[in-house]
Amino acid sequence: MEIQVLSPEVIQDTNATATPSDSVPVELIDSTFGSTCIDLISSSLDSSILAFSDEWFAPASNLTNPKPPIRRPGVFVPTGAWYDGWETRRHNPEPYDWVIIKLGVASGKVKGVEIDTAFFDGNHAEAVEVQGCFEVGEDADAKLVNKDYAGWRQVLGHRGCGATQRQAWTVEAESEVTHVRLCMFPDGGIARFRLYGQVVPVFPTSMDQEVELSSALMGGVVLSASEEHFGSSKSNLLLPGRGVDMGGGWETKRSRGQGHVDWVIVRLGARGKIKRIVVDTAFYRGNYPQAMKIDGFGSEDKTPKAEDPRWKKVVGIQKLGPDKEHEYAGSSLSNVDGAAYTHLKMTILPDGGVKRFRVFGTRV
């Protein structure tokens, strides 16, 4: 499949206008984007790889895998050494290889880009560029893979990449995108591509229609958590579906002291009236919390701290069971009549794993 290419003059111009000051130190990547953004192209959100220039050595679908890349030294496949990433052939006759990805949400505003070249050393991408577009409708996907499509606009200018390392940059994008194109100069390999941003949800026309206010698809974000010891991201709590194993939830370490609790704070995608809440312990069978409680906060101009005294009880302490969806509605809810909330805090007692946290209600 053909796609329009950038001329050497354009490439030179983007190099000249690059601003290295937007680079994020590797030790700050997670803290910079983890509390305000989600990965808009994560495969856990059902994003799609629409087209690519080449994937001879390793498939482009690996780019959006939410799990960290792994290495399998000494393992070979018919095309060569096995790599957990996207790798194209040598000697690309075009200026760059490319892959087009449809976001896993309706649209989003990009705040950052991460390129991880883990385990690609000597065959890594020398540089990248990211472009975006906004296209909706039945023919949107087919339109933008056409080589004559002229709707691409720069999201991240030309940036150099190093071998086997995470590298990220902040982005100041004012407009929304539905699709992105990653350009890899001139060829090579990239393990993961993260597009950090904020969801621009499409809500029902009627304000009375119930929606999942907490869903990542509706703009819900996990702002903070007491800890994420096992590498299970707190943001997993708001993903669609119930996952495929224990690895796709939020799990804390074993506590040894009396009175210990863990907690997580969620900002809803919209201020709303709560109708029901679901706490799902799917796949957590010997490591689910003994119990949990939920508190609410109603302020759009303030981010509450875990210890803020203004949290109001929404669900009192409830016992939890293994591998089960626990639903709370009606008389199980407190302080919801006539009240609207922007944030919820789930506290688990004393520790353990939760797969999903879902808050349903109507917008106000």
Side-chain angles (χ1 to χ4, degrees):
M1 183 178 293
E2 292 184 293
I3 201 77
Q4 70 178 90
V5 299
L6 298 180
S7 68
E9 292 77 13
V10 172
I11 296 171
Q12 184 177 7
D13 181 65
T14 55
N15 265 315
T17 58
T19 54
S21 61
D22 61 8
S23 179
V24 180
V26 64
E27 67 272 13
L28 298 180
I29 294 175
D30 294 335
S31 60
T32 298
F33 303 113
S35 296
T36 58
C37 302
I38 66 168
D39 181 5
L40 299 170
I41 56 172
S42 171
S43 60
S44 59
L45 293 176
D46 202 25
S47 59
S48 303
I49 305 291
L50 298 184
F52 47 81
S53 57
D54 182 66
E55 57 173 2
W56 177 261
F57 289 109
S61 59
N62 286 332
L63 288 169
T64 58
N65 185 343
K67 296 181 179 180
I70 61 173
R71 189 184 181 203
R72 299 173 65 186
V75 176
F76 286 83
V77 294
T79 55
W82 183 91
Y83 275 91
D84 186 9
W86 172 48
E87 186 180 3
T88 64
R89 278 175 274 213
R90 296 184 184 224
H91 315 308
N92 184 12
E94 302 294 340
Y96 57 86
D97 278 313
W98 53 267
V99 58
I100 296 175
I101 304 174
K102 183 177 182 178
L103 271 59
V105 298
S107 67
K109 290 187 176 181
V110 183
K111 299 298 181 182
V113 170
E114 178 183 345
I115 298 294
D116 188 350
T117 55
F119 311 118
F120 286 97
D121 188 356
N123 56 347
H124 61 282
E126 290 188 354
V128 296
E129 181 174 322
V130 179
Q131 302 158 357
C133 68
F134 186 91
E135 291 288 350
V136 295
E138 294 182 359
D139 62 341
D141 295 350
K143 180 191 299 184
L144 57 88
V145 299
N146 188 297
K147 67 176 183 178
D148 297 321
Y149 180 72
W152 295 112
R153 57 181 179 270
Q154 182 174 290
V155 172
L156 180 74
H158 207 76
R159 298 291 187 274
C161 294
T164 190
Q165 62 185 275
R166 295 176 70 189
Q167 45 237 309
W169 304 268
T170 56
V171 172
E172 294 298 330
E174 297 298 326
S175 52
E176 305 164 27
V177 298
T178 55
H179 304 73
V180 290
R181 179 169 68 166
L182 171 63
C183 302
M184 175 171 63
F185 296 83
D187 50 43
I190 296 172
R192 296 291 187 269
F193 172 32
R194 311 291 189 207
L195 191 76
Y196 299 115
Q198 297 170 348
V199 176
V200 180
V202 177
F203 288 111
T205 303
S206 173
M207 297 287 284
D208 295 326
Q209 183 172 336
E210 184 178 282
V211 296
E212 188 177 343
L213 297 167
S214 58
S215 172
L217 300 179
M218 291 296 159
V221 177
V222 179
L223 298 179
S224 57
S226 55
E227 58 119 314
E228 301 170 276
H229 183 76
F230 288 102
S232 52
S233 173
K234 59 186 183 297
S235 62
N236 289 336
L237 288 167
L238 309 185
L239 293 176
R242 301 188 70 201
V244 296
D245 56 35
M246 197 174 65
W250 171 59
E251 184 181 0
T252 66
K253 63 185 175 183
R254 299 185 188 215
S255 60
R256 302 303 187 187
Q258 288 284 359
H260 179 86
V261 299
D262 283 312
W263 52 265
V264 63
I265 295 176
V266 174
R267 186 187 68 206
L268 303 179
R271 183 184 180 91
K273 295 180 179 180
I274 298 172
K275 301 297 184 183
R276 58 190 178 98
I277 298 175
V278 175
V279 176
D280 190 356
T281 56
F283 302 102
Y284 291 102
R285 301 184 179 97
N287 52 351
Y288 60 93
Q290 291 183 339
M292 70 87 217
K293 64 176 183 175
I294 300 169
D295 299 288
F297 192 92
S299 174
E300 294 181 340
D301 57 1
K302 181 177 176 59
T303 299
K305 301 292 185 181
E307 64 276 9
D308 195 306
R310 290 172 292 176
W311 288 103
K312 293 183 179 180
K313 181 176 74 172
V314 174
V315 177
I317 295 178
Q318 300 285 332
K319 184 177 176 60
L320 295 178
D323 197 13
K324 177 183 178 181
E325 288 184 296
H326 307 75
E327 181 167 324
Y328 308 98
S331 60
S332 297
L333 302 178
S334 302
N335 299 310
V336 295
D337 291 339
Y341 291 96
T342 55
H343 301 75
L344 288 183
K345 178 179 68 171
M346 177 175 64
T347 302
I348 59 174
L349 294 77
D351 53 52
V354 176
K355 178 55 67 67
R356 298 290 185 263
F357 178 63
R358 308 192 189 283
V359 182
F360 296 88
T362 56
R363 292 172 297 141
V364 296

